[in-house]
């Protein structure tokens, strides 16, 4: 989930504004048809491809030679966050790629010797390797949670690979130095699971499959308080949590953020670049779901200066953390609009 320091600074600004649902298309992008969330249950095409250190599982929709959109999920979610976004975009002629991130679903490490780390640049380089393997030079990147962070990093460090960006929660590249300082009490409270994962008790819970599934379901209810998902919806995604590297990847990601775990040295130079908080110059739409406890109050002003290219911000009323699955038409519309900025 998003960087607690970014959220803490935003809370410190005070005075939020009323949430607005802004879903109208930009010039050059027509309105997408409205779909009811929960009407689709799966993808037509699931594939595997060897990329860098991984054998990546991914869903694909749309024409093989269409302009590419890569949709990136977060934690604790999987590719089903985009089960209705993907066909909406495919119907507009996009080739939509939705990969399982490392440690999720059918994505596997190619070697038992590869460290099971999940520093932010490692996940971003996984997606660059996926693009290379699929011979995709440039794509629209869209994500939430870990997916937003990954898309932000690629846009910042490899802008030549990004046609446009949709980033839920704005600029969420982790600032590890800032993470060492305490945040406001309400912010620390929201991050209870991060502190839980820092303990041996939390590690044991995440390593136990039954306990981990129960924990992830509880997180869903907290961060999407208005989303009335059913058992089948959660269980489809929970299958992705049974990956043999799931616990190691999730634990490392959250422990690494707060300085309790070291990363793989092969990514150190990228982390040094990210520590400088690089700006993002590609066309971008940022989305803030109003019911997400990690959404800072206001209009995105706390991170606006990080985006220096064509830009638009939207606050989405009555929606929680899993924005693409809770409001697929709104999310897909943002993708097509960003592509026309």
């Amino acid at each position: 989930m998003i960087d607690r320091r970014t959220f803490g600074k935003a809370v410190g600004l005070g005075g939020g504004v009323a949430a607005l649902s802004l879903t109208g298309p930009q010039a050059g992008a027509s309105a997408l048809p409205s779909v009811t969330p929960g009407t689709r249950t799966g993808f037509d095409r699931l594939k595997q491809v060897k990329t860098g250190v991984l054998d990546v599982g991914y869903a694909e929709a749309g024409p093989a030679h269409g302009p590419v959109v890569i949709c990136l999920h977060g934690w604790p979610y999987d590719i089903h966050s985009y089960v209705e976004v993907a066909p909406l975009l495919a119907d507009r002629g996009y080739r939509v790629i939705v990969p399982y991130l490392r440690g999720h679903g059918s994505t596997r490490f190619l070697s038992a010797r590869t460290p099971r780390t999940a520093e932010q640049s490692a996940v971003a380089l996984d997606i660059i390797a996926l693009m290379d393997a699929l011979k995709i030079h440039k794509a629209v990147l869209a994500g939430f949670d870990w997916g937003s962070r990954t898309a932000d990093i690629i846009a910042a460090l490899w802008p030549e690979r990004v046609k446009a960006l949709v980033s839920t929660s704005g600029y969420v590249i982790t600032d590890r130095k800032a993470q060492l300082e305490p945040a406001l009490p309400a912010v620390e409270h929201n991050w209870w699971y991060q502190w839980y994962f820092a303990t041996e008790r939390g590690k044991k819970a995440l390593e136990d499959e039954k306990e981990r599934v129960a924990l992830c379901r509880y997180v869903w209810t907290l961060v999407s308080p208005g989303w009335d998902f059913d058992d089948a919806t959660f269980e489809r995604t929970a299958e992705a949590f049974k990956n043999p590297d799931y616990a190691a990847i999730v634990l490392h990601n959250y422990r690494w953020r707060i300085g309790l775990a070291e990363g793989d040295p092969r990514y150190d130079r990228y982390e040094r670049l990210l520590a400088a908080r690089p700006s993002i110059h590609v066309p971008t739409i940022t989305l803030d779901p109003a019911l997400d406890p990690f959404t800072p109050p206001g209009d995105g002003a706390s991170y606006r200066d990080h985006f220096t290219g064509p830009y638009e911000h939207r606050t989405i009323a009555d929606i929680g953390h899993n924005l693409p699955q809770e409001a697929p038409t709104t999310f897909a519309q943002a993708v097509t609009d960003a592509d026309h900025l």
Side-chain angles (χ1 to χ4, degrees):
M1 295 187 179
I2 72 168
D3 187 318
R4 69 188 182 93
R5 296 303 308 168
T6 301
F7 179 60
K9 291 175 183 176
V11 170
L13 293 174
V17 298
L20 299 175
S21 180
L22 302 173
T23 60
Q26 297 300 295
S30 58
L32 294 172
S34 180
V35 299
T36 301
T39 55
R40 294 182 65 93
T41 60
F43 292 93
D44 295 331
R45 285 183 281 175
L46 295 177
K47 300 182 177 182
Q48 295 286 140
V49 64
K50 290 181 171 59
T51 67
V53 299
L54 299 174
D55 182 2
V56 175
Y58 66 99
E60 182 169 347
H65 300 291
V68 180
V69 176
I70 300 177
C71 296
L72 301 168
H73 69 79
W75 182 87
Y77 305 97
D78 82 328
I79 63 173
H80 288 88
S81 290
Y82 296 100
V83 72
E84 283 153 341
V85 169
L88 282 169
L89 295 173
D91 286 347
R92 288 301 170 94
Y94 289 100
R95 180 188 179 192
V96 187
I97 307 293
V98 191
Y100 284 109
L101 300 185
R102 58 169 57 194
H104 293 73
S106 61
T107 292
R108 297 289 189 274
F109 285 88
L110 294 173
S111 171
R113 295 187 297 273
T114 302
R116 269 43 173 179
T117 65
E119 56 268 73
Q120 58 186 349
S121 61
V123 182
L125 282 162
D126 290 345
I127 302 307
I128 292 290
L130 173 65
M131 294 175 70
D132 290 345
L134 297 179
K135 296 181 170 54
I136 297 168
H137 173 66
K138 182 176 283 193
V140 178
L141 300 184
F144 75 107
D145 196 83
W146 290 22
S148 289
R149 180 173 297 106
T150 302
D152 286 357
I153 292 167
I154 296 171
L157 298 187
W158 298 279
E160 71 279 3
R161 308 302 297 268
V162 183
K163 184 179 182 185
L165 171 68
V166 175
S167 183
T168 307
S169 303
Y171 188 91
V172 291
I173 295 174
T174 297
D175 184 343
R176 289 186 84 204
K177 183 178 180 180
Q179 290 273 83
L180 297 177
E181 300 299 323
L184 294 174
V187 177
E188 303 284 22
H189 176 265
N190 281 336
W191 283 95
W192 65 271
Y193 57 87
Q194 179 169 264
W195 317 127
Y196 185 45
F197 293 159
T199 69
E200 185 63 23
R201 182 170 174 165
K203 178 176 180 287
K204 288 180 178 179
L206 203 58
E207 289 176 340
D208 181 280
E209 186 176 294
K210 183 177 179 181
E211 293 287 344
R212 112 177 34 141
V213 169
L215 185 152
C216 290
R217 182 171 184 135
Y218 182 59
V219 171
W220 276 33
T221 65
L222 293 180
V223 300
S224 293
W227 185 27
D228 186 22
F229 61 89
D230 59 18
D231 291 344
T233 297
F234 175 77
E235 288 163 5
R236 278 189 292 272
T237 288
E239 287 298 310
F241 308 157
K242 298 176 182 179
N243 184 297
D245 297 309
Y246 185 83
I249 291 300
V250 175
L251 286 167
H252 183 268
N253 182 280
Y254 286 106
R255 290 179 170 190
W256 175 86
R257 294 189 201 186
I258 56 176
L260 297 182
E262 295 301 316
D264 185 334
R266 80 182 78 187
Y267 302 113
D268 285 352
R269 65 189 179 108
Y270 302 108
E271 293 302 336
R272 286 193 291 270
L273 293 172
L274 294 173
R277 312 291 284 162
S279 296
I280 293 173
H281 308 299
V282 305
T284 299
I285 291 178
T286 56
L287 304 173
D288 278 350
L291 297 186
D292 182 355
F294 298 99
T295 296
D299 57 0
S302 63
Y303 51 72
R304 175 65 182 90
D305 290 347
H306 289 292
F307 299 96
T308 59
Y311 177 81
E312 182 180 336
H313 173 78
R314 302 176 182 182
T315 297
I316 313 303
D318 303 322
I319 296 299
H321 191 72
N322 188 5
L323 174 57
Q325 197 164 3
E326 296 180 60
T329 303
T330 297
F331 191 91
Q333 188 70 62
V335 172
T336 63
D337 292 351
D339 192 25
H340 288 85
L341 280 179

